[in-house]
Amino acid sequence: MHTRLATACLLALASAPAWAADTPAPLQLEWDARLRHEQVDNDAFARDARADTLRLRLGLRAQFGAGFSGYLEGAGVAAAGGHYNSGANGHTQYPTITDPKGGELNQAYLAWQGNRFGAIAGRQRLLFDNQRWIGNVGWRQHEQTFDAVALQWQPATDWTVRYAWLDRVHRVAGRDALLPTARERKLDTHLLNAAFKRGMQQLSGYAYLHEDRDVATASSATYGARWSGKPAADGFGWTLEAAQQTDYASNPLHFSHAYWLAEPAWTQHGITGKLGWEHLGGNGHHALQTPLATLHAFNGWDDQFAVTPAGGLDDRYAAINGAFGPQARIGWTVAWHDYRAARGGRYGSEWDGSLGYAFSTAINGLLKLASYRADGFGRDDAKLWLQVEWKGVQALR
């Protein structure tokens, strides 16, 4: 563990009460195995990409008593064949599928939880709100994790205040990525999020001060608010969000970009339909970016806009999803996106669809498709995924 993070860990936990040596220490094993086939057909390449990968995470969770716990988790990815560009294998004649083979320490932290206050120090997964700004990129086989100190305070039943200081981010390209900054980044980032939740509504405000010490132009300060609500059963739901992002720390660029999201939804008989308009501002030279987000969940599953184009992005979309079958085990989603520059000009459009099946509470299967049609940005691209995932927990003592 890095020196600065180790010092912060001690400070974060110093005020917690000591735990008794004779307190029982329950131990449990946790696992997450995911087998996936992915295909990519991109018009910019003469060859299609195909990746067959198996990801396994194994973790040990221990409860020490008096609110203390610890977690240690390793992850490994195996790949059959090399007919894709993983970012680490140098196979640039194929389209990119960022699932390189290899192993890593995924999480390793100590935690303390009291009645109203909690602290976690070490390498960990961080998810804020809907992961639009801070997430773990859970779709990829390698997960995005952070060397961080995270604090949580609940001053009242309806309120939750979260703060995290990030020392380093470990990215989904893995330890062996050919580009060093795709492996990990040194940070000095401060995240503050305060949320008020009552019933089916939640209002949150945030300030994310992100300093990237390896890539200065990636540093930014983002201030915003988010309001969401959903019906208890059938009826109207919504999400409204607005934010402003500016240059921060030693970023040599000077910018100020607006972000907004409007997403009304309606649920009837278990089927939810929604319309959305997400705006990421740009000035033609630079655009609003979300470098710590779970990007695959936004702006289409084809991942054309993981980096926002300099002209910004307006994503206008419609989606519908539901479930059917015995115990609603079969879930489905269909979505359509229209992409334009924030100041005029069209990028393209995309269709997405998925069909999932819960074999049991622990095993799930997924068929997923994405088809992007370029109209001024990128090239036509189509992706297919077939996946089975098995998660479990076993008490050891």
Side-chain angles (χ1 to χ4, degrees):
M1 187 178 292
H2 306 288
T3 302
R4 289 197 305 156
L5 181 59
T7 302
C9 292
L10 294 174
L11 292 174
L13 298 175
S15 61
W19 56 281
D22 58 351
T23 301
L27 187 68
Q28 65 182 31
L29 175 68
E30 302 179 7
W31 65 87
D32 183 341
R34 180 198 280 167
L35 178 65
R36 176 190 288 163
H37 171 77
E38 180 171 349
Q39 292 182 202
V40 180
D41 177 5
N42 188 299
D43 280 1
F45 294 84
R47 301 180 180 181
D48 295 351
R50 299 187 309 278
D52 294 292
T53 57
L54 173 63
R55 190 276 313 286
L56 176 63
R57 293 184 195 143
L58 284 176
L60 284 173
R61 189 179 304 276
Q63 304 291 337
F64 304 124
F68 277 90
S69 64
Y71 189 60
L72 182 66
E73 180 185 63
V77 177
H83 299 288
Y84 69 104
N85 178 14
S86 71
N89 59 15
H91 296 177
T92 56
Q93 70 271 34
Y94 296 103
T96 298
I97 299 174
T98 312
D99 286 331
K101 60 183 179 180
E104 62 184 1
L105 178 66
N106 197 51
Q107 297 190 81
Y109 61 77
L110 291 174
W112 177 78
Q113 183 63 54
N115 291 331
R116 292 188 178 272
F117 182 80
I120 301 177
R123 186 167 300 179
Q124 59 189 280
R125 175 186 299 125
L126 286 174
L127 312 175
F128 277 62
D129 289 334
N130 66 335
Q131 304 183 50
R132 188 58 179 105
W133 304 97
I134 312 295
N136 70 325
V137 198
W139 175 246
R140 299 271 41 120
Q141 298 286 51
H142 286 283
E143 185 178 23
Q144 178 169 276
T145 58
F146 303 88
D147 292 347
V149 175
L151 310 177
Q152 182 168 302
W153 176 44
Q154 193 171 16
T157 303
D158 296 331
W159 283 93
T160 302
V161 180
R162 299 178 65 187
Y163 167 78
W165 171 71
L166 314 183
D167 176 68
R168 195 172 296 247
V169 57
H170 302 273
R171 308 181 72 197
V172 298
R175 297 173 53 193
D176 301 320
L178 299 180
L179 183 64
T181 53
R183 302 171 197 162
E184 61 179 42
R185 301 276 185 92
K186 297 177 183 177
L187 310 177
D188 187 6
T189 295
H190 301 270
L191 310 175
L192 180 64
N193 182 294
F196 173 80
K197 185 174 183 180
R198 178 165 292 176
M200 305 302 287
Q201 296 189 44
Q202 178 167 308
L203 177 64
S204 60
Y206 50 84
Y208 300 143
L209 308 181
H210 172 55
E211 180 177 355
D212 189 321
R213 295 197 162 187
D214 287 325
V215 183
T217 54
S219 300
S220 64
T222 305
Y223 302 89
R226 175 182 175 85
W227 180 33
S228 62
K230 60 182 180 179
D234 292 345
F236 179 69
W238 69 91
T239 300
L240 298 171
E241 185 171 357
Q244 195 73 23
Q245 184 176 90
T246 61
D247 54 281
Y248 177 69
S250 57
N251 194 329
L253 305 177
H254 299 287
F255 57 86
S256 180
H257 302 306
Y259 171 89
W260 70 72
L261 170 69
E263 188 183 84
W266 185 268
T267 299
Q268 194 72 37
H269 302 305
I271 297 176
T272 299
K274 62 184 178 182
L275 301 174
W277 181 9
E278 187 180 39
H279 171 90
L280 292 79
N283 57 21
H285 303 286
H286 184 273
L288 181 142
Q289 304 293 339
T290 59
L292 302 181
T294 296
L295 293 168
H296 181 75
F298 304 93
N299 309 133
W301 296 338
D302 199 67
D303 292 331
Q304 288 289 320
F305 301 99
V307 176
T308 312
L313 174 65
D314 270 349
D315 178 7
R316 299 166 188 176
Y317 56 91
I320 185 169
N321 65 80
F324 64 95
Q327 300 177 321
R329 287 189 173 191
I330 304 173
W332 58 272
T333 299
V334 177
W336 177 81
H337 296 260
D338 178 71
Y339 304 116
R340 300 174 185 266
R343 295 188 176 182
R346 196 161 185 272
Y347 291 148
S349 61
E350 179 175 337
W351 281 99
D352 296 326
S354 70
L355 188 65
Y357 181 74
F359 294 97
S360 67
T361 57
I363 302 175
N364 291 276
L366 179 68
L367 166 65
K368 188 170 173 178
L369 303 162
S371 179
Y372 174 77
R373 290 295 173 260
D375 186 10
F377 182 86
R379 301 289 294 273
D380 288 357
D381 190 64
K383 296 182 179 180
L384 164 70
W385 299 272
L386 293 169
Q387 175 178 294
V388 176
E389 187 166 12
W390 176 36
K391 297 182 180 181
V393 177
Q394 176 65 53
L396 300 180
R397 53 181 296 188

